[in-house]
Structures are given as C-alpha cells and as structure tokens.
Amino acid sequence: MTTPPATPVVLTGARVVLAAPVEADVDRIAELCVDPAVAEWTTVPSPYTREHAVGFVTGTVADGWITGRSCTWGIRVDGLLVGMIGLDGIADAAAEIGFWLAPAARGHGIMTEAVGLVLDFAFAAAPDGVGLERVVWHAYAGNHASAAVARRAGFVFEGVSRRGAVQRGRRRDDWQAGLLADDPRTPADGWPAETWG
C-alpha cells in the first residue's frame, strides 16, 4: 500500500526544513512565483497572482495530503520559505517529483538536500514514508539546473518525449528520468552532456 499520511509530515535536514505551505505563506509564494525562471520551467499560472497562491495552499496542497494523491512541502531555510517540492500522482507504488527554488537560494545545494529528504520519505515503508518503488522526474528540455539536481540524486535518464509535455497550451519537448527504490543514490551516467552540473 502506497498511501501517504493524511496529515502533512515535516522533513528535517542539516540546512532545510520541509513543511507543507500554509496560509501565512501565501504572499511569499506569490512573490516567488513571478520569477521568470519559475514561469519558464514549471506549470504555475503566468502571470501569477495572490489568488493563485491562495488556491494552491488551500486547495491543491490541502487536497493532495487529504486524498493521498500528492505530498507538497515548502522548502525553508532559517525559517524563510525559499521554494517548493512535492510528490504528485501517487498511485501504484510510483509518483512524480517536482520542485522549484527562489533565485537567491539557487546554487547552494539546497535543492539537492531537499530532494534527498523527499526521496528518503518516498521510498521508506510506512509509517515512515510512502513505500514507493519508483519516482519519475520530468522537465522541459533545456532545464539544465533541474536536470543537474536529478542526476546528482541518482535518477537514470530515460529519454526525450518530443513535444510530449504541455505548458499553458504550448507543446514542449519533455526530458524524463526515473529512480527505483533499490537504485544507487549516486550520480548516474547516460545523461546528455549539457545536463551535467
């Protein structure tokens, strides 16, 4: 059974704390989601408004935990929300990981630590985790920063789906990689050279 807990779980690392975003985070989320890179590489609405952030926190995040279909965490460093990470589409012992980070927090290993915490939770058996067998990573082709994080986490590059993803009505090439519960959590070979970081 791969059903996450119905109430949010807090994950704590050396530098980051992952906790479900709450209504007090709405203004910060709205501020960060207008960043051009977040708009370019994610499916968040663009332009992004405070109302979008309210719907995300009170609807998407809350419903995901309650139904067991997704787990979403805010990434916090010294109490400040600097990004978002989650497992989505949880079903049949698999899920997709997704994440974004504020500009000032990029390039410091913060996302690598956050991804490690989420993967530990994803693969751990209940009650300490979800007990998944596979986590998949997708990114629009060209998202080298996200690819570098996935590669460092041990994801194995599985290929390109030509125009396989849709972003706000536009088709884009889709990179895909996968990580199995028993895969080594070390950088994997086989990634396109431009995704190494």
Side-chain angles (χ1 to χ4, degrees):
M1 189 71 173
T2 57
T3 302
T7 56
V9 172
V10 175
L11 306 177
T12 304
R15 292 183 299 162
V16 304
V17 174
L18 307 184
V22 295
E23 290 190 51
D25 297 316
V26 162
D27 289 330
R28 178 68 174 162
I29 293 168
E31 172 192 344
L32 296 179
C33 284
V34 299
D35 173 61
V38 172
E40 173 66 18
W41 299 118
T42 74
T43 58
V44 301
S46 181
Y48 198 88
T49 67
R50 188 178 192 281
E51 289 70 32
H52 290 129
V54 170
F56 173 69
V57 170
T58 62
T60 305
V61 172
D63 293 347
W65 282 99
I66 291 168
T67 63
R69 289 192 297 264
S70 65
C71 302
T72 303
W73 295 271
I75 302 169
R76 301 171 196 278
V77 176
D78 296 328
L80 179 67
L81 183 77
V82 297
M84 209 65 58
I85 189 168
L87 295 168
D88 194 36
I90 299 170
D92 302 319
E96 178 180 350
I97 193 168
F99 45 82
W100 58 260
L101 205 56
R106 296 172 192 154
H108 304 290
I110 290 168
M111 189 57 78
T112 295
E113 182 178 339
V115 167
L117 289 171
V118 169
L119 292 174
D120 288 345
F121 176 78
F123 293 131
D128 299 318
V130 190
L132 301 183
E133 296 177 25
R134 171 179 164 84
V135 175
V136 67
W137 165 90
H138 288 274
Y140 299 122
N143 191 344
H144 300 126
S146 183
V149 171
R151 182 184 168 275
R152 281 194 297 272
F155 281 81
V156 175
F157 191 74
E158 296 175 339
V160 180
S161 177
R162 296 177 303 150
R163 295 187 190 163
V166 179
Q167 182 194 42
R168 301 181 207 103
R170 178 172 67 111
R171 287 215 157 266
R172 300 182 65 173
D173 290 352
D174 177 56
W175 284 341
Q176 178 176 303
L179 184 69
L180 305 183
D182 55 357
D183 281 344
R185 300 271 290 279
T186 56
D189 294 331
W191 284 77
E194 68 270 19
T195 65
W196 287 47

